[in-house]
Every structure is written in C-alpha cells, then in structure tokens.
Amino acid sequence: MNRLKSVALAAAALCVGIAPALAQEVTLRVHHFLPAPAPVPKNFITPWAEKVMEESDGRIKVEVYPSMQLGGGPPALFDQARDGVVDIVWTLPGYTPGRFPGTEAFELPFMPAKAEATSQAFWDFYEKYLTEEFKDVHPIALHVHGPGLLHVKGDGVAKLEDMKGLKLRGPTRQTNALLKALGATPVGMPVPAMPEALSKGVIDGTVVPWEVTTPLKVAELVGSHTDFEGSRGLYTATFVFAMNKAKYDSLPDDLKAVIDANSGREMSKWVGRVMDEGDAPGIVAAEKAGNIIRKLPEDEVARWKAAADPVVEAWVAEVTEKGYDGAAMVEDAKAMISKYADAN
C-alpha cells in the first residue's frame, strides 16, 4: 500500500512539473516613442496588448513602455526589436534613412488616401515587395498615418511661393526631398524633438498629420495649417509594429496562433483607422487656438504636384538601380490604395 502511495505521489509530482511546461507563460515588452495618451498608444497598442492577454488566457503578459522609457532614441527602435533588446516596437522605417527603400513608395508625394485605406494597401504591398526588407523581425502590422499637411508659424503657406526659405521639419527621406523640391529647407528629426525645435525657432514649421498635433500641442506653437484639396494628401509616413523574430519563433504553437490572429491586414486597418480618428481632435485644437486653417484649391494643388514630380522620378531611378522595379512599385502602390479607398 505504501509502495502504491509512493508511486501515486511521484506521478502527481511529475504532472505538476509537466503542467508549467505545457502552459508556458511569456512576457512581451513593447517599446515606442510617443506619450501613452497619444492616439496610437492609447487606442491601438494598449487595446492590442489587452486583446492578446485575454485571448491567451493570461499566458501572454504584455508590458508597454511609452516615450522611450527603456532607453535609446526613436531611430534605435527597429534594431532593439531585431536584436531582442525589447520584444515588440512601434516605429517608423524612415527614422533610418535609406535602410528600407521599398517602403518609400508609400511616402512619395501625393500618394496617400485616408490612413485606414492606405494602411491596408501597405500590408498588401509588404506581402508583395517588402518581406526581404523586414526579414529580421516578425511584422505584426504595417501602416501609415493620415494625409500629412503643413503647420507653420505666422500666416503660413497659401501658395507654392510661400514655401521658399521656410525651415520645415520632415519625418523621412522622401518627405525631406519633397520639401526641398517645393522650395523649403528640410530639417530631419524624430517627432518627439519637434515641439522644442518649434518653440526655440530652430524650425519655422513642420509636416505631420492632424493626429499627432494634439499630444505634442502643435497648435499652440504655430499660427497656421495648410491642407490640400483632392482625394490624396501631400505625403504620409510608414510605420511598423514588429516583434523580435527569435521571440516569436520560441513561442509554443498555441501562443503563436494568438499573435497570428492579431497580426496582418486587419491589424493594419485597425491602426490606420485610429490614425484617421485621431485627426479630429487636432483640428478642434487648432480652431480653439484661433489659428488659420486653409485648404489649397485644386488648381494650386496641381502646381505643387508638378513641382513634386521630380521627387518621384528620382526615387524610381534610385531604387531601380538597386534591383527593384521602381515604376511598377509606384503603379502598384497607387492601385492598391485605390482598391481600398474606392471601396470606402
């Protein structure tokens, strides 16, 4: 009897040892560059984390660290995910100019529609063209912000000639090329540095979507906002929400399935929609500040597009030399965006 009891106890102990292995628990640390109340952290990253934790029955724990709390600057985020310094990041490929040339097709002048439509197109574009560029991480979502516009001190920009000599912050290599082609002096910097640069007069203005003007209080630092008539905005910037590849590969199959169910086009659509919805408070803040809000008419926009055409031509030539089919990528980007924009 004692022998049977000992065998039963040993078997029970073995089961206790097996259970944790079968129910592996994982902690994922998410790192990004904006304050927690900003639209994407508040309305996408945090809800995404909560969704993953719930669908994993608590076996995945997600910790979110905003405003670069784990160290480094925004341009370091992609490598932090690649190298396993953190598990997941949200960042802009454009923070490391020239490293992700294929993504720039979506950052070319007058390419983007609304962010929800353009973000779905960007995921499709990634699947066709960009898997090699992002092979060092496991992408969860790829998206863009809403159509960008000009936010400038004083009376701002009412026509193309008003751009001459303005020092304007740009987020990416292609946006800076666009600003230069339009007559301005581009100043590259990550978005968290922008408010101080505006307040100290380092720059005269900036290009960002309405969405980011609220958390960074841009309306209090400029006097005017210039948007553009038509179905396509001046520019957009691309973003990646990506996981360390080794961390993803180390997950048991059932937890991989949770991440997979919360990755892809639908997640890209979700964060794009958050970007679009985040534009409204920015407009309200500008109105409350008494700023000039203008939308350039289509005949004036046509002049801007003509001035920007060489930027597109230069990009096509550059990436074609690197082995891409630049012309096809531009046409595909336009067609993919139209597919989702027209559906809406």
Side-chain angles (χ1 to χ4, degrees), residues 50-79:
E50 292 169 348
K51 190 169 184 285
V52 165
M53 289 190 285
E54 180 181 352
E55 292 178 9
S56 69
D57 294 324
R59 289 172 53 210
I60 297 177
K61 180 182 179 183
V62 183
E63 300 173 350
V64 180
Y65 296 88
S67 300
M68 302 306 300
Q69 288 179 353
L70 297 180
L77 280 165
F78 187 88
D79 286 343

mmCIF file of all heavy atoms in Angstrom, residues 50-79:
data_model
loop_
_atom_site.group_PDB
_atom_site.id
_atom_site.type_symbol
_atom_site.label_atom_id
_atom_site.label_comp_id
_atom_site.label_asym_id
_atom_site.label_seq_id
_atom_site.Cartn_x
_atom_site.Cartn_y
_atom_site.Cartn_z
ATOM 1 N N GLU A 50 -4.088 44.246 -24.532
ATOM 2 C CA GLU A 50 -5.160 43.664 -23.714
ATOM 3 C C GLU A 50 -5.839 42.505 -24.437
ATOM 4 O O GLU A 50 -6.182 41.486 -23.827
ATOM 5 C CB GLU A 50 -6.174 44.749 -23.358
ATOM 6 C CG GLU A 50 -5.610 45.803 -22.401
ATOM 7 C CD GLU A 50 -6.520 47.015 -22.246
ATOM 8 O OE1 GLU A 50 -7.474 47.148 -23.051
ATOM 9 O OE2 GLU A 50 -6.262 47.825 -21.337
ATOM 10 N N LYS A 51 -6.012 42.647 -25.724
ATOM 11 C CA LYS A 51 -6.642 41.603 -26.532
ATOM 12 C C LYS A 51 -5.781 40.341 -26.549
ATOM 13 O O LYS A 51 -6.280 39.212 -26.393
ATOM 14 C CB LYS A 51 -6.856 42.131 -27.952
ATOM 15 C CG LYS A 51 -7.709 41.271 -28.873
ATOM 16 C CD LYS A 51 -8.032 42.063 -30.138
ATOM 17 C CE LYS A 51 -8.975 41.286 -31.074
ATOM 18 N NZ LYS A 51 -8.310 40.204 -31.780
ATOM 19 N N VAL A 52 -4.486 40.519 -26.736
ATOM 20 C CA VAL A 52 -3.569 39.381 -26.753
ATOM 21 C C VAL A 52 -3.541 38.691 -25.393
ATOM 22 O O VAL A 52 -3.562 37.450 -25.314
ATOM 23 C CB VAL A 52 -2.151 39.846 -27.168
ATOM 24 C CG1 VAL A 52 -1.107 38.779 -26.855
ATOM 25 C CG2 VAL A 52 -2.133 40.198 -28.648
ATOM 26 N N MET A 53 -3.512 39.460 -24.329
ATOM 27 C CA MET A 53 -3.502 38.855 -22.997
ATOM 28 C C MET A 53 -4.780 38.068 -22.738
ATOM 29 O O MET A 53 -4.746 36.959 -22.211
ATOM 30 C CB MET A 53 -3.294 39.942 -21.936
ATOM 31 C CG MET A 53 -1.877 40.508 -21.939
ATOM 32 S SD MET A 53 -1.481 41.591 -20.526
ATOM 33 C CE MET A 53 -2.376 43.088 -20.983
ATOM 34 N N GLU A 54 -5.915 38.627 -23.139
ATOM 35 C CA GLU A 54 -7.192 37.941 -22.928
ATOM 36 C C GLU A 54 -7.288 36.672 -23.761
ATOM 37 O O GLU A 54 -7.684 35.604 -23.257
ATOM 38 C CB GLU A 54 -8.347 38.877 -23.284
ATOM 39 C CG GLU A 54 -9.725 38.248 -23.096
ATOM 40 C CD GLU A 54 -10.858 39.179 -23.473
ATOM 41 O OE1 GLU A 54 -10.595 40.365 -23.747
ATOM 42 O OE2 GLU A 54 -12.008 38.708 -23.510
ATOM 43 N N GLU A 55 -6.909 36.744 -25.023
ATOM 44 C CA GLU A 55 -7.046 35.592 -25.910
ATOM 45 C C GLU A 55 -6.038 34.489 -25.599
ATOM 46 O O GLU A 55 -6.220 33.348 -26.046
ATOM 47 C CB GLU A 55 -6.935 36.043 -27.365
ATOM 48 C CG GLU A 55 -8.122 36.904 -27.788
ATOM 49 C CD GLU A 55 -8.030 37.418 -29.220
ATOM 50 O OE1 GLU A 55 -7.119 36.968 -29.955
ATOM 51 O OE2 GLU A 55 -8.847 38.279 -29.590
ATOM 52 N N SER A 56 -4.987 34.830 -24.864
ATOM 53 C CA SER A 56 -4.020 33.808 -24.439
ATOM 54 C C SER A 56 -4.353 33.255 -23.056
ATOM 55 O O SER A 56 -3.554 32.509 -22.486
ATOM 56 C CB SER A 56 -2.610 34.393 -24.433
ATOM 57 O OG SER A 56 -2.470 35.355 -23.389
ATOM 58 N N ASP A 57 -5.516 33.647 -22.525
ATOM 59 C CA ASP A 57 -5.912 33.246 -21.164
ATOM 60 C C ASP A 57 -4.870 33.666 -20.130
ATOM 61 O O ASP A 57 -4.613 32.945 -19.161
ATOM 62 C CB ASP A 57 -6.148 31.730 -21.092
ATOM 63 C CG ASP A 57 -7.344 31.288 -21.935
ATOM 64 O OD1 ASP A 57 -8.323 32.051 -22.002
ATOM 65 O OD2 ASP A 57 -7.283 30.190 -22.523
ATOM 66 N N GLY A 58 -4.268 34.807 -20.378
ATOM 67 C CA GLY A 58 -3.308 35.347 -19.424
ATOM 68 C C GLY A 58 -1.918 34.757 -19.528
ATOM 69 O O GLY A 58 -1.021 35.157 -18.768
ATOM 70 N N ARG A 59 -1.700 33.845 -20.443
ATOM 71 C CA ARG A 59 -0.371 33.235 -20.557
ATOM 72 C C ARG A 59 0.628 34.161 -21.239
ATOM 73 O O ARG A 59 1.839 34.009 -21.072
ATOM 74 C CB ARG A 59 -0.471 31.907 -21.301
ATOM 75 C CG ARG A 59 -1.172 30.826 -20.460
ATOM 76 C CD ARG A 59 -1.448 29.582 -21.270
ATOM 77 N NE ARG A 59 -0.226 29.107 -21.905
ATOM 78 C CZ ARG A 59 -0.211 28.450 -23.067
ATOM 79 N NH1 ARG A 59 -1.335 28.253 -23.730
ATOM 80 N NH2 ARG A 59 0.930 28.035 -23.579
ATOM 81 N N ILE A 60 0.134 35.109 -22.048
ATOM 82 C CA ILE A 60 0.996 36.165 -22.569
ATOM 83 C C ILE A 60 0.723 37.418 -21.755
ATOM 84 O O ILE A 60 -0.416 37.874 -21.657
ATOM 85 C CB ILE A 60 0.726 36.448 -24.054
ATOM 86 C CG1 ILE A 60 1.035 35.213 -24.906
ATOM 87 C CG2 ILE A 60 1.569 37.633 -24.529
ATOM 88 C CD1 ILE A 60 0.734 35.392 -26.394
ATOM 89 N N LYS A 61 1.768 37.957 -21.165
ATOM 90 C CA LYS A 61 1.687 39.231 -20.458
ATOM 91 C C LYS A 61 2.381 40.273 -21.318
ATOM 92 O O LYS A 61 3.507 40.055 -21.778
ATOM 93 C CB LYS A 61 2.360 39.146 -19.091
ATOM 94 C CG LYS A 61 2.314 40.445 -18.302
ATOM 95 C CD LYS A 61 3.034 40.303 -16.966
ATOM 96 C CE LYS A 61 3.006 41.611 -16.188
ATOM 97 N NZ LYS A 61 3.772 41.519 -14.921
ATOM 98 N N VAL A 62 1.714 41.388 -21.555
ATOM 99 C CA VAL A 62 2.286 42.443 -22.393
ATOM 100 C C VAL A 62 2.512 43.691 -21.554
ATOM 101 O O VAL A 62 1.585 44.194 -20.913
ATOM 102 C CB VAL A 62 1.374 42.779 -23.586
ATOM 103 C CG1 VAL A 62 2.043 43.827 -24.483
ATOM 104 C CG2 VAL A 62 1.045 41.529 -24.395
ATOM 105 N N GLU A 63 3.741 44.148 -21.522
ATOM 106 C CA GLU A 63 4.099 45.376 -20.810
ATOM 107 C C GLU A 63 4.439 46.443 -21.849
ATOM 108 O O GLU A 63 5.252 46.201 -22.739
ATOM 109 C CB GLU A 63 5.307 45.147 -19.900
ATOM 110 C CG GLU A 63 5.081 44.083 -18.833
ATOM 111 C CD GLU A 63 6.350 43.745 -18.058
ATOM 112 O OE1 GLU A 63 7.444 44.197 -18.490
ATOM 113 O OE2 GLU A 63 6.253 43.034 -17.048
ATOM 114 N N VAL A 64 3.808 47.611 -21.746
ATOM 115 C CA VAL A 64 4.001 48.676 -22.731
ATOM 116 C C VAL A 64 4.813 49.806 -22.104
ATOM 117 O O VAL A 64 4.473 50.314 -21.036
ATOM 118 C CB VAL A 64 2.656 49.209 -23.251
ATOM 119 C CG1 VAL A 64 2.887 50.316 -24.285
ATOM 120 C CG2 VAL A 64 1.829 48.080 -23.867
ATOM 121 N N TYR A 65 5.872 50.208 -22.805
ATOM 122 C CA TYR A 65 6.768 51.260 -22.342
ATOM 123 C C TYR A 65 6.765 52.403 -23.354
ATOM 124 O O TYR A 65 7.402 52.310 -24.406
ATOM 125 C CB TYR A 65 8.185 50.709 -22.154
ATOM 126 C CG TYR A 65 8.275 49.651 -21.077
ATOM 127 C CD1 TYR A 65 8.060 48.306 -21.384
ATOM 128 C CD2 TYR A 65 8.542 50.005 -19.755
ATOM 129 C CE1 TYR A 65 8.126 47.332 -20.395
ATOM 130 C CE2 TYR A 65 8.605 49.036 -18.762
ATOM 131 C CZ TYR A 65 8.400 47.704 -19.089
ATOM 132 O OH TYR A 65 8.452 46.749 -18.091
ATOM 133 N N PRO A 66 6.043 53.492 -23.069
ATOM 134 C CA PRO A 66 5.981 54.636 -23.994
ATOM 135 C C PRO A 66 7.183 55.554 -23.841
ATOM 136 O O PRO A 66 8.022 55.396 -22.926
ATOM 137 C CB PRO A 66 4.693 55.345 -23.563
ATOM 138 C CG PRO A 66 4.608 55.068 -22.091
ATOM 139 C CD PRO A 66 5.170 53.682 -21.897
ATOM 140 N N SER A 67 7.258 56.534 -24.724
ATOM 141 C CA SER A 67 8.208 57.659 -24.616
ATOM 142 C C SER A 67 9.654 57.210 -24.419
ATOM 143 O O SER A 67 10.415 57.836 -23.681
ATOM 144 C CB SER A 67 7.781 58.591 -23.477
ATOM 145 O OG SER A 67 6.486 59.109 -23.713
ATOM 146 N N MET A 68 10.040 56.099 -25.057
ATOM 147 C CA MET A 68 11.420 55.594 -24.999
ATOM 148 C C MET A 68 11.877 55.326 -23.569
ATOM 149 O O MET A 68 13.044 55.549 -23.219
ATOM 150 C CB MET A 68 12.370 56.579 -25.704
ATOM 151 C CG MET A 68 12.034 56.859 -27.155
ATOM 152 S SD MET A 68 11.873 55.394 -28.210
ATOM 153 C CE MET A 68 13.494 54.639 -28.063
ATOM 154 N N GLN A 69 10.986 54.820 -22.745
ATOM 155 C CA GLN A 69 11.309 54.587 -21.327
ATOM 156 C C GLN A 69 12.392 53.530 -21.121
ATOM 157 O O GLN A 69 13.037 53.506 -20.070
ATOM 158 C CB GLN A 69 10.048 54.175 -20.570
ATOM 159 C CG GLN A 69 9.055 55.291 -20.348
ATOM 160 C CD GLN A 69 7.806 54.835 -19.614
ATOM 161 O OE1 GLN A 69 7.607 53.642 -19.379
ATOM 162 N NE2 GLN A 69 6.953 55.774 -19.264
ATOM 163 N N LEU A 70 12.590 52.664 -22.097
ATOM 164 C CA LEU A 70 13.613 51.625 -21.952
ATOM 165 C C LEU A 70 14.953 52.050 -22.541
ATOM 166 O O LEU A 70 15.889 51.252 -22.609
ATOM 167 C CB LEU A 70 13.142 50.321 -22.614
ATOM 168 C CG LEU A 70 11.893 49.692 -21.985
ATOM 169 C CD1 LEU A 70 11.513 48.407 -22.714
ATOM 170 C CD2 LEU A 70 12.093 49.420 -20.508
ATOM 171 N N GLY A 71 15.042 53.330 -22.933
ATOM 172 C CA GLY A 71 16.327 53.864 -23.372
ATOM 173 C C GLY A 71 16.487 53.921 -24.880
ATOM 174 O O GLY A 71 15.753 53.287 -25.635
ATOM 175 N N GLY A 72 17.460 54.728 -25.294
ATOM 176 C CA GLY A 72 17.734 54.918 -26.703
ATOM 177 C C GLY A 72 16.856 55.997 -27.301
ATOM 178 O O GLY A 72 15.962 56.538 -26.650
ATOM 179 N N GLY A 73 17.123 56.329 -28.559
ATOM 180 C CA GLY A 73 16.308 57.290 -29.286
ATOM 181 C C GLY A 73 15.406 56.568 -30.262
ATOM 182 O O GLY A 73 15.619 55.384 -30.559
ATOM 183 N N PRO A 74 14.392 57.247 -30.799
ATOM 184 C CA PRO A 74 13.476 56.606 -31.743
ATOM 185 C C PRO A 74 14.164 55.892 -32.912
ATOM 186 O O PRO A 74 13.709 54.811 -33.305
ATOM 187 C CB PRO A 74 12.601 57.767 -32.213
ATOM 188 C CG PRO A 74 12.566 58.701 -31.043
ATOM 189 C CD PRO A 74 13.946 58.628 -30.454
ATOM 190 N N PRO A 75 15.269 56.416 -33.479
ATOM 191 C CA PRO A 75 15.902 55.683 -34.579
ATOM 192 C C PRO A 75 16.470 54.317 -34.182
ATOM 193 O O PRO A 75 16.770 53.502 -35.054
ATOM 194 C CB PRO A 75 17.024 56.626 -35.030
ATOM 195 C CG PRO A 75 16.556 57.989 -34.638
ATOM 196 C CD PRO A 75 15.854 57.771 -33.329
ATOM 197 N N ALA A 76 16.617 54.074 -32.863
ATOM 198 C CA ALA A 76 17.172 52.792 -32.405
ATOM 199 C C ALA A 76 16.114 51.706 -32.258
ATOM 200 O O ALA A 76 16.459 50.531 -32.036
ATOM 201 C CB ALA A 76 17.885 52.988 -31.061
ATOM 202 N N LEU A 77 14.839 52.061 -32.379
ATOM 203 C CA LEU A 77 13.776 51.113 -32.039
ATOM 204 C C LEU A 77 13.796 49.853 -32.904
ATOM 205 O O LEU A 77 13.659 48.738 -32.381
ATOM 206 C CB LEU A 77 12.410 51.800 -32.142
ATOM 207 C CG LEU A 77 12.035 52.675 -30.942
ATOM 208 C CD1 LEU A 77 10.856 53.580 -31.289
ATOM 209 C CD2 LEU A 77 11.704 51.817 -29.719
ATOM 210 N N PHE A 78 13.946 50.010 -34.209
ATOM 211 C CA PHE A 78 13.911 48.820 -35.063
ATOM 212 C C PHE A 78 14.990 47.832 -34.645
ATOM 213 O O PHE A 78 14.731 46.622 -34.528
ATOM 214 C CB PHE A 78 14.066 49.194 -36.530
ATOM 215 C CG PHE A 78 13.875 48.014 -37.454
ATOM 216 C CD1 PHE A 78 12.625 47.678 -37.916
ATOM 217 C CD2 PHE A 78 14.962 47.235 -37.842
ATOM 218 C CE1 PHE A 78 12.432 46.580 -38.746
ATOM 219 C CE2 PHE A 78 14.785 46.140 -38.674
ATOM 220 C CZ PHE A 78 13.521 45.814 -39.129
ATOM 221 N N ASP A 79 16.205 48.322 -34.398
ATOM 222 C CA ASP A 79 17.289 47.427 -34.009
ATOM 223 C C ASP A 79 17.059 46.836 -32.624
ATOM 224 O O ASP A 79 17.528 45.720 -32.336
ATOM 225 C CB ASP A 79 18.626 48.161 -34.045
ATOM 226 C CG ASP A 79 19.115 48.387 -35.473
ATOM 227 O OD1 ASP A 79 18.608 47.713 -36.393
ATOM 228 O OD2 ASP A 79 19.989 49.259 -35.666
#
